[in-house]
Amino acid sequence: MSQRLGVYPDPASLAGGAASVFVGSFKSAVAERGIFTAVLSGGSTPLALYRLLAAEHKDLDWAKAHLFWGDERCGSPGDAGSNYNGANAALISKIEIPPENIHRIKGELAPDEAARLYEKELTGFFGVEESTPPPFDLVLLGMGADGHTLSLFPGTRALDEKERLVVPNFAGKLDAWRVTLTFRAIERAKKTVFLVAGAGKAAVLKEVLEGKDYPAGRVKGQEVVWLADKDAAFLIKE
Ligand code: 6PG
């Protein structure tokens, strides 16, 4: 598994770098197999990327793209905090992509029901057996200042899930349930890209890249890439 870090001067150029990776992965997947599958990250960092894709890459053959989510908050898809809602407002509502290509986690259902349903949607779509990691072309991830990624928070049960691809996970510090992909679900991804911005992430980014144990550092994939802005990377020695 290879890991590498790309540093950009500011959040806007970080979004530009991420867009190049996204478009490159999209085009090579479509050229190879006529389809592109991507897991979108929640949170605020990737929104600049989603807006840039909508603004500058409408010309992609979005009918060949299938979009999934890495995690979702429990509640309605119209909630302000919904990861689906964020991506829909920034990207999906602005491109020509068939509704059936949008595979959202149904956060409005009970957490375990939403998780089991989503796992069935993943294994059905990719034609794999239950609990077999799907071969996503691209997985986009963020990281919290506590080193969490997806909704895999430090000290929570979902970190130890070895079988299921999607589980409910209670985030004690947020006093909230989440539905999240597990590490297993993304371990076969062709390319996994972390987007990290802001000085608030600098300490944890340095420790993760130095190998200190945080959930984000446990992510496995064929190729794991870290894209950060200068503020998030300022503690990293060249
Ligand atoms: C979520 C994400 C979560 C996010 C990090 C970073 O649902 O919030 O899955 O893992 O990527 O919390 O969030 P920011 O990009 O907002 O800092």
Side-chain angles (χ1 to χ4, degrees):
M1 182 187 77
S2 66
Q3 298 220 20
R4 59 189 171 82
L5 171 67
V7 181
Y8 295 83
D10 52 46
S13 53
L14 170 63
S20 307
V21 173
F22 188 101
V23 172
S25 175
F26 190 130
K27 289 182 173 174
S28 56
V30 168
E32 215 175 283
R33 301 185 338 277
I35 186 172
F36 170 62
T37 58
V39 175
L40 300 184
S41 166
S44 56
T45 305
L47 295 177
L49 162 62
Y50 301 157
R51 284 192 283 269
L52 191 59
L53 289 172
E56 298 187 7
H57 297 283
K58 282 191 191 333
D59 58 320
L60 286 173
D61 192 353
W62 288 101
K64 293 196 173 115
H66 283 262
L67 303 179
F68 302 83
W69 273 261
D71 66 330
E72 189 53 279
R73 287 85 187 280
C74 291
S76 150
D79 288 352
S82 152
N83 289 337
Y84 161 79
N85 191 34
N88 185 50
L91 174 61
I92 295 164
S93 59
K94 298 182 165 56
I95 54 175
E96 297 292 314
I97 186 165
E100 61 272 21
N101 291 28
I102 306 302
H103 306 267
R104 71 175 182 88
I105 299 171
K106 296 182 173 53
E108 65 274 26
L109 301 176
D112 194 53
E113 185 188 357
R116 291 189 187 282
L117 212 55
Y118 202 61
E119 176 142 352
K120 278 199 170 40
E121 177 150 359
L122 290 178
T123 53
F125 178 82
F126 286 95
V128 295
E129 291 299 306
E130 199 176 316
S131 94
T132 304
F136 293 115
D137 293 306
L138 180 66
V139 172
L140 296 176
L141 297 174
M143 179 175 67
D146 62 354
H148 83 265
T149 189
L150 299 166
S151 284
L152 301 172
F153 294 91
T156 58
R157 284 184 48 191
L159 296 181
D160 303 322
E161 177 57 49
K162 297 281 182 282
E163 283 300 310
R164 292 175 68 177
L165 304 178
V166 193
V167 292
N169 197 31
F170 186 71
K173 67 180 219 178
L174 302 173
D175 190 24
W177 280 93
R178 294 283 187 86
V179 179
T180 182
L181 296 193
T182 57
F183 292 124
R184 180 174 176 78
I186 58 174
E187 67 186 25
R188 263 181 77 194
K190 285 184 190 57
K191 182 167 279 195
T192 304
V193 180
F194 279 93
L195 300 182
V196 186
K201 308 282 178 79
V204 70
L205 179 62
K206 176 177 184 291
E207 291 191 325
V208 167
L209 295 181
E210 285 173 346
K212 191 164 173 201
D213 184 25
Y214 288 96
R218 296 191 195 175
V219 167
K220 301 271 180 293
Q222 294 183 46
E223 181 188 6
V224 179
V225 174
W226 292 80
L227 304 183
D229 70 356
K230 198 166 44 51
D231 288 348
F234 86 94
L235 294 173
I236 312 275
K237 300 261 174 303
E238 287 302 314

